[in-house]
């Protein structure tokens, strides 16, 4: 069975602060995919990143960066210099090879960025 | 259309009634998914369609739930004899192929009174 844990329920920061969202996963598969999705108040889940289990390179996209560490089964997400528009619920998710359509989502972390 | 379209956006029904939720995926996407989002259970996989293959229905919570996809495009999720615990946001998503990123619709908020 696979499981994704996002221990932080809510995070509140002031604009321009950095914020890191933790994600820890469990899986018995050696091939799997990890995702982050953003759900703004409008409700539509927006894809942010997909990473396969063989690619441990960290990735940066603008103010977003991801740290994938297989040794600790973690796939953490950092927003640098946060902005009010970053306020949303962020979900980490896992899928296994062969059943890539079945995403197991974490409970989500609500990020509130105050002006 | 440009994105995944779901209708209705909101549905209020009485316990015991049947409801149909519609999803129009992005044109050309062969994979279509239904997920459910509720306060108690979070985001849960319901069903998956890929081309002409048999769908994976393993996430459907009971036999009151069914879904079909006609012509490889539009999908309908049907809930028969609705119960209060069916109240949730039902999300549809599509992707070009398997293991690609999912494009989600805005969901249908279902409230069973």
């Amino acid at each position: 069975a696979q499981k994704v844990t996002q221990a932080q329920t809510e995070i509140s920061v002031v604009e321009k602060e950095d914020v890191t969202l933790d994600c820890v996963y469990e899986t018995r598969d050696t091939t799997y995919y990890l995702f982050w999705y953003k759900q703004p108040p409008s409700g539509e889940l927006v894809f942010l990143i997909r990473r396969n289990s063989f690619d441990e390179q960290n990735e940066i996209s603008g103010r977003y960066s991801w740290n994938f560490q297989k040794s600790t089964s973690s796939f953490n997400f950092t927003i640098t210099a946060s902005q009010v528009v970053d306020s949303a619920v962020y979900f980490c998710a896992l899928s296994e090879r062969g059943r890539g359509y079945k995403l197991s989502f974490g409970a989500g972390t609500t990020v509130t960025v105050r002006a | 259309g440009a994105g995944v379209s779901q209708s209705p956006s909101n549905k209020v029904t009485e316990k015991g009634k049947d409801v149909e939720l519609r999803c129009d995926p992005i044109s050309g996407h062969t994979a279509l998914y239904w997920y459910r989002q509720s306060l108690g259970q979070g985001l849960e996989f319901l069903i998956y369609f890929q081309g002409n293959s048999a769908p994976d229905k393993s996430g459907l919570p009971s036999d009151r739930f069914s879904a079909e996809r006609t012509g490889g495009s539009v999908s309908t999720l049907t809930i028969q004899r609705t119960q209060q615990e069916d109240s949730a946001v039902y999300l549809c998503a599509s992707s070009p192929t398997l293991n690609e990123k999912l494009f989600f619709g805005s969901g249908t908020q279902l409230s069973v009174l």
Side-chain angles (χ1 to χ4, degrees), chain A residues 39 44 50 100-103, chain B residues 35 37 56 58 99 102 106:
Chain A
Q39 189 174 40
E44 192 169 313
R50 183 190 73 156
Y101 50 84
K102 259 188 182 180
L103 288 176
Chain B
Y35 281 80
Q37 185 173 25
D56 183 325
S58 60
N99 287 327
L102 272 60
S106 296

Side-chain angles (χ1 to χ4, degrees), chain A residues 3-38:
Chain A
K3 183 179 175 182
V4 177
T5 301
Q6 293 180 254
Q8 303 146 308
T9 306
E10 293 183 34
I11 298 176
S12 181
V13 297
V14 176
E15 217 171 11
K16 297 184 182 177
E17 286 185 355
D18 298 348
V19 55
T20 295
L21 311 181
D22 298 334
C23 173
V24 175
Y25 62 91
E26 296 176 31
T27 179
R28 294 181 179 178
D29 242 10
T30 55
T31 303
Y32 51 89
Y33 298 87
L34 294 163
F35 302 79
W36 276 95
Y37 281 86
K38 173 182 179 180

Side-chain angles (χ1 to χ4, degrees), chain A residues 7-8 13 15-16 25 33 36 39 45-46 48 50 58-59 61 67 76-77 79-80 83 89 95 99 107-109:
Chain A
Q8 303 146 308
V13 297
E15 217 171 11
K16 297 184 182 177
Y25 62 91
Y33 298 87
W36 276 95
Q39 189 174 40
L45 281 158
V46 177
L48 295 178
R50 183 190 73 156
N58 291 329
E59 183 159 339
S61 176
N67 184 317
N76 297 338
F77 171 36
I79 303 172
T80 302
Q83 301 176 0
V89 183
S95 70
R99 286 200 163 185
T109 299

Side-chain angles (χ1 to χ4, degrees), chain A residues 75-93:
Chain A
F75 187 43
N76 297 338
F77 171 36
T78 297
I79 303 172
T80 302
S82 59
Q83 301 176 0
V84 173
V85 293
D86 296 326
S87 296
V89 183
Y90 292 86
F91 292 94
C92 181

